[in-house]
């Protein structure tokens, strides 16, 4: 007899499975565990700041960088696993061999900057959200902080969704087959 928590987790798994299938396509089920873990972990870390005297862990660059490194290593590993080491490096060369010397460094730099993009986006949003919450709590003690906490909850869930969505897109690009 499943309880409420099991129902909640089943909805979450179905959501992640559908998201992965839409973005990655065929054979996306193998990535659901990692994407779901990222999404749930980031959501929980984001919402911890709603508990009085707790800080939002993702309001610190170290934790967001840790999540970003995990996602970065995972999708690159899956790309190497899918294409082989040389085949994965070829995906950075572009569609034509003639422009490969130009495309390869641009694509490698772009791939590495995804780390920065993932970590700084989450960090900045959560840091500023928590900062605003503290500022408004000091100015108006009751009504405004309650509104800011509601906004914090909304932003926490949106940021967790984005942090799950972007690695799914990066995975789809890493394991894509040319047609």
């Amino acid at each position: 007899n499943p309880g409420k928590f099991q129902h909640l987790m089943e909805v979450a798994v179905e959501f992640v499975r559908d998201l992965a299938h839409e973005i990655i396509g065929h054979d996306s089920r193998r990535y659901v565990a990692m994407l779901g873990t990222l999404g749930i972990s980031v959501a929980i870390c984001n919402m911890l700041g709603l508990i009085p005297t707790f800080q939002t862990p993702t309001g610190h660059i170290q934790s967001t960088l840790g999540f970003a490194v995990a996602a970065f290593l995972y999708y690159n590993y899956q790309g190497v696993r899918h294409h082989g080491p040389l085949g994965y490096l070829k995906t950075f060369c572009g569609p034509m061999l003639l422009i490969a010397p130009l495309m390869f460094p641009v694509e490698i730099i772009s791939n590495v900057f995804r780390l920065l993009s993932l970590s700084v986006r989450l960090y900045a949003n959560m840091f500023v959200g928590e900062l605003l919450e503290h500022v408004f709590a000091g100015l108006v003690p009751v009504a405004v902080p309650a509104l800011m906490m509601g906004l914090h909850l909304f932003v926490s869930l949106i940021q967790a969704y984005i942090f799950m969505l972007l690695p799914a897109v990066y995975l789809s690009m890493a394991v894509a087959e040319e047609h």
Side-chain angles (χ1 to χ4, degrees):
N1 206 9
K4 291 178 183 179
F5 182 73
Q6 183 176 345
H7 284 296
L8 179 68
M9 295 309 341
E10 286 176 3
V11 168
V13 168
E14 283 182 38
F15 176 76
V16 175
R17 190 176 7 171
D18 292 344
L19 175 102
H21 181 70
E22 290 213 10
I23 294 173
I24 300 167
H26 180 68
D27 207 22
S28 62
R29 292 190 99 164
R30 77 171 22 168
Y31 312 116
V32 169
M34 179 62 168
L35 294 173
T37 301
L38 274 174
I40 291 172
S41 300
V42 169
I44 289 171
C45 285
N46 289 349
M47 290 186 285
L48 277 175
L50 292 171
I51 300 170
T53 72
F54 277 39
Q55 288 186 341
T56 304
T58 48
H60 300 279
I61 193 70
Q62 297 90 339
S63 60
T64 60
L65 189 59
F67 283 125
V69 166
F72 177 80
L73 292 175
Y74 184 75
Y75 76 76
N76 279 300
Y77 169 75
Q78 292 299 332
V80 169
R81 185 173 172 266
H82 184 77
H83 296 287
L86 289 177
Y88 186 57
L89 286 175
K90 282 182 191 176
T91 64
F92 293 104
C93 292
M96 297 178 357
L97 192 59
L98 184 63
I99 60 172
L102 179 65
M103 289 296 292
F104 187 77
V106 171
E107 288 292 325
I108 292 295
I109 290 169
S110 168
N111 191 27
V112 171
F113 268 94
R114 292 175 187 170
L115 262 173
L116 183 68
S117 167
L118 277 173
S119 59
V120 171
R121 179 183 299 112
L122 179 59
Y123 160 70
N125 282 304
M126 298 315 297
F127 178 76
V128 169
E130 192 169 329
L131 187 65
L132 285 174
E133 195 174 316
H134 288 292
V135 167
F136 283 115
L139 294 175
V140 183
V142 179
V144 174
L147 289 173
M148 292 305 290
M149 288 176 85
L151 182 63
H152 185 107
L153 178 64
F154 178 69
V155 168
S156 295
L157 295 174
I158 293 293
Q159 288 302 315
Y161 173 71
I162 290 170
F163 207 90
M164 190 171 51
L165 182 74
L166 288 175
V169 170
Y170 301 154
L171 263 167
S172 73
M173 294 179 350
V175 298
E177 293 290 335
E178 288 187 40
H179 295 285

